[in-house]
Amino acid sequence: MKLTILGCHSATPRTNTNPTSQVLEIKNHMFLIDCGEGTQVELRRNKVKFSRIKHIFISHLHGDHYFGLIGLVSTFRLLTRETELHIYGPKGIKEVITLQLKLSDSWTNFPLIFHELTSKESELIFEDDKVEVYTIPLKHRIYTNGFLFKEKENERKLNINAVIEANIDKAYYRKLKQGADVVNEDGILIDNTTVTKDPIPAKSYAYCSDTVYNEAIIPIIEKTTVLYHESTFLDKNENLCERTKHSTARQAGIIAKKANVETLILGHFSTRYNGYDEFKSEAKEEFDNVLLAKDGKSFEF
C-alpha cells in the first residue's frame, strides 16, 4: 500500500505549498483522493500515470479540495482517453463539472460517471474482488465525507512441502488458499492449517479531511493501518476550530489513540504556520506513531 501526497495544505495554493490531493495505490488500484488546484501538475511531477486513475474521490465542495478536477478531466479529454472515469463526491459535483464542460463545449470523449453522495451514515460506495471503499461522515461547514479503503482478506499461503507430503492433488490448491479442508489422494481429510500459512494481514487506509473533532468516526476507522487526519491548527489556535470546523494536531492524536490505529499521518496544515514540527510534537503527546504529510512525499505500508 503506497500513499503519495500531492498536496497537504489548506485554503489557497502558494509557491511552495499545494492544496489537498493524494494518490493511494492499493491492490493494483490507483485512487485519486481530492483534487485541489495544481493536482495534474503534481501528478506529472510525481510521475503518476494518468491512465491508471479510474476512480476519483472528492470529500466536499470547498475549492481547496476540488478546483483542480475540471482541469484534470479536460486534460484526460485532450489525451484522447477512452476508459471510464468514476467520480465519487457530494451531490452537486455532477452539476458543477458538467456546466463547465457544457459552457466550454468540451464534452469528454470517454464515459464520465458520477456517483453523488447524500447519506449521513457510512456506506459502501465501491467494491471489487480486492478492495472495498466506505464513506466516513465528517463534521464540517458543508456536507463532507472521508473515505475508508480496505483490502479484502488475502488468501492463505501454501506450505508447498507440507502439501506434497500430504499427497494433495494440485486441483485442490485453490481451495487450500481459500481456507478449505480437502481430501487427499488417499481419501483422508486434511486440515487446512497443517498445510498452509496465515495470509498477509489485509491493510486499510482512512482519509479524514476536513472535520472538527468528532468521536463518531472512531467505530468506522478503528484499527486501520493508516489514518490521515486533518490538523489545520496548533493548540494555540484551538479557538478557531469550532468556527471553521477544523481540528488541531492534538485532537488528531486523540482520535488516533481512541481508534487504536497503527499509524497517524497529519495534514491539511494552515499556511499561517512557517514550520510543522510542532504539529508532530503536539500529536505525539497523545499518540506515539505520528508522521507528517509533505507535498511530494510517499509512504509505503
Side-chain angles (χ1 to χ4, degrees), residues 33 35 39 45 72 84 107 123 145 149 152 154-155 168 174 215 219 221-222 226 230 235 239 258 282:
I33 309 170
C35 191
T39 291
R45 195 190 310 278
L72 184 59
E84 293 181 349
W107 296 111
E123 60 179 337
N145 285 299
F149 303 84
K152 291 190 174 180
N154 294 304
E155 291 185 334
I168 298 172
R174 181 64 178 167
E215 293 189 359
I221 66 173
E222 191 171 14
V226 183
E230 77 126 284
D235 278 348
N239 62 303
K258 290 189 173 184
E282 290 186 2

Side-chain angles (χ1 to χ4, degrees), residues 9 19 25 105 109 121-122 150 181 189 192 195 197-198 203 222 227 230 233-234 236 255 258 271 286 292 297:
H9 297 82
E25 296 178 62
D105 192 20
N109 50 357
E121 304 292 331
S122 180
K150 297 178 65 176
D181 298 335
L189 183 65
N192 183 280
V195 292
K197 300 175 183 179
D198 289 339
K203 296 175 182 178
E222 191 171 14
L227 166 64
E230 77 126 284
F233 301 118
L234 293 171
K236 61 186 178 184
I255 291 291
K258 290 189 173 184
T271 51
E286 306 294 340
L292 292 177
K297 186 171 184 177

Side-chain angles (χ1 to χ4, degrees), residues 31-219:
F31 295 131
L32 180 64
I33 309 170
D34 275 339
C35 191
E37 290 178 70
T39 291
Q40 61 178 310
V41 173
E42 294 308 310
L43 287 170
R44 292 189 185 280
R45 195 190 310 278
N46 288 277
K47 296 180 171 55
V48 177
K49 290 186 177 179
F50 284 21
S51 61
R52 289 194 60 197
I53 298 173
K54 298 177 182 178
H55 303 270
I56 301 176
F57 299 84
I58 303 296
S59 61
H60 64 297
L61 296 182
H62 278 161
D64 55 334
H65 293 260
Y66 89 100
F67 276 174
L69 183 56
I70 184 61
L72 184 59
V73 170
S74 297
T75 294
F76 284 153
R77 173 178 177 270
L78 293 173
L79 294 175
T80 64
R81 179 189 180 106
E82 296 180 354
T83 55
E84 293 181 349
L85 179 65
H86 294 260
I87 298 176
Y88 306 77
K91 183 175 177 59
I93 187 73
K94 180 178 181 179
E95 179 182 0
V96 72
I97 296 300
T98 55
L99 178 61
Q100 293 175 88
L101 295 174
K102 174 185 176 182
L103 295 179
S104 62
D105 192 20
S106 300
W107 296 111
T108 62
N109 50 357
F110 57 88
L112 183 59
I113 303 167
F114 292 91
H115 305 263
E116 293 196 307
L117 308 174
T118 59
S119 177
K120 295 183 179 180
E121 304 292 331
S122 180
E123 60 179 337
L124 178 67
I125 58 173
F126 172 82
E127 180 180 21
D128 65 7
D129 60 340
K130 296 179 179 180
V131 177
E132 296 175 332
V133 183
Y134 294 85
T135 57
I136 306 170
L138 302 176
K139 292 178 67 175
H140 192 42
R141 299 196 306 279
I142 60 174
Y143 177 76
T144 305
N145 285 299
F147 302 102
L148 174 63
F149 303 84
K150 297 178 65 176
E151 292 182 349
K152 291 190 174 180
E153 186 175 345
N154 294 304
E155 291 185 334
R156 297 186 65 80
K157 301 292 184 181
L158 294 181
N159 181 343
I160 196 64
N161 291 331
V163 169
I164 293 172
E165 188 174 333
N167 198 24
I168 298 172
D169 190 279
K170 288 183 178 180
Y172 293 107
Y173 284 9
R174 181 64 178 167
K175 284 191 173 182
L176 287 175
K177 290 180 180 180
Q178 294 172 343
D181 298 335
V182 300
V183 175
N184 72 359
E185 295 286 272
D186 304 312
I188 300 171
L189 183 65
I190 303 298
D191 185 334
N192 183 280
T193 59
T194 64
V195 292
T196 64
K197 300 175 183 179
D198 289 339
I200 298 171
K203 296 175 182 178
S204 55
Y205 174 64
Y207 170 82
C208 296
S209 182
D210 302 9
T211 184
V212 73
Y213 178 80
N214 179 21
E215 293 189 359
I217 69 174
I218 292 173

Side-chain angles (χ1 to χ4, degrees), residues 237-289:
N237 298 117
E238 185 179 354
N239 62 303
L240 298 176
C241 288
E242 185 56 35
R243 176 170 61 84
T244 62
K245 293 296 186 288
H246 285 299
S247 302
T248 67
R250 183 184 302 278
Q251 289 170 339
I254 294 171
I255 291 291
K257 181 177 181 179
K258 290 189 173 184
N260 195 25
V261 305
E262 293 182 22
T263 300
L264 169 65
I265 300 178
L266 301 177
H268 201 262
F269 307 117
S270 169
T271 51
R272 73 184 61 221
Y273 305 107
N274 294 321
Y276 305 103
D277 289 342
E278 280 187 79
F279 285 85
K280 187 172 184 179
S281 297
E282 290 186 2
K284 282 181 71 69
E285 290 179 15
E286 306 294 340
F287 182 77
D288 288 334
N289 194 14

